[in-house]
Amino acid sequence: QSALTQPASVSGSPGQSVTISCTGTSGDVGSYNLVSWHQQHPGKAPKLIIYEVNKRPSGVSNRFSGSKSGNTASLTISGLQAEDEADYSCCSYAGSSTLVFGGGTKLTVL
Amino acid sequence: QVQLVQSGAEVKKPGASVKVSCQASGYTFINYGISWVRQAPGQGLEWMGRISGYNGDTNFAQKFQDRVTMTTDTSTTTAYMELRNLRYDDTAMYYCARFGTTKVDYWGHGTLITVSS
């Protein structure tokens, strides 16, 4: 059960788009379309923003989108806003009612 | 609305045990499980395990299998996580989260556990 691999940090200017990758294995990301993404502002609890690779919970901006190819999932944030500055963590179902998280990516809005 | 309210911060000595509670409201408790996820200072999220709200079935990350117990009390819609034989590197924020079969969707506010002599 190794953690999923994410870049430590990404950055972008307001209005730009950024993409955060999340690489797993054939036992987790590659086997299931059950990747979720969670946004976490400093000192706050995480919040679900994408589930089942590309679905958004009610109330989440359509500027957030997800995709997957093979063992790698991606989160794209378009039209960057200052409020998007946060940590983003991916999570994949790994079978037998288990989950695995990525190490998290810090997004800086320049 | 779904709410998960956790117990307060604790300071424990190495070798001790800690039990964290998570009271759920705003949904039918037995229809979902509860996952426990921890986050060490400056680190990423780490999945510890989950418990079914329906029948108490559990699954744990291998790393915690020997030291963690998860239980529920359906009469009070509360989940509990006990971690034994605490070490300094168990210092972390511990979150409970509603587990809907294949994902977590709502998070508690977190409980800070500090292990210090």
Side-chain angles (χ1 to χ4, degrees), chain A residues 86-107:
Chain A
D87 292 331
Y88 292 85
S89 296
C90 61
C91 177
S92 177
Y93 184 72
S96 301
S97 296
T98 66
L99 300 176
V100 60
F101 280 91
T105 298
K106 180 177 176 59
L107 168 63

Side-chain angles (χ1 to χ4, degrees), chain B residues 18-74:
Chain B
V18 68
K19 191 170 186 177
V20 181
S21 68
C22 169
Q23 183 169 33
S25 61
Y27 70 97
T28 303
F29 186 75
I30 61 172
N31 287 351
Y32 293 84
I34 294 287
S35 267
W36 291 89
V37 180
R38 77 177 188 180
Q39 186 171 37
Q43 302 299 308
L45 300 170
E46 183 175 29
W47 188 78
M48 299 178 67
R50 71 99 200 178
I51 182 167
S52 166
Y54 175 69
N55 59 12
D57 279 354
T58 53
N59 298 87
F60 303 120
Q62 205 164 0
K63 174 177 179 177
F64 300 101
Q65 206 133 25
D66 296 335
R67 295 199 295 139
V68 72
T69 300
M70 296 180 186
T71 56
T72 59
D73 181 342
T74 55

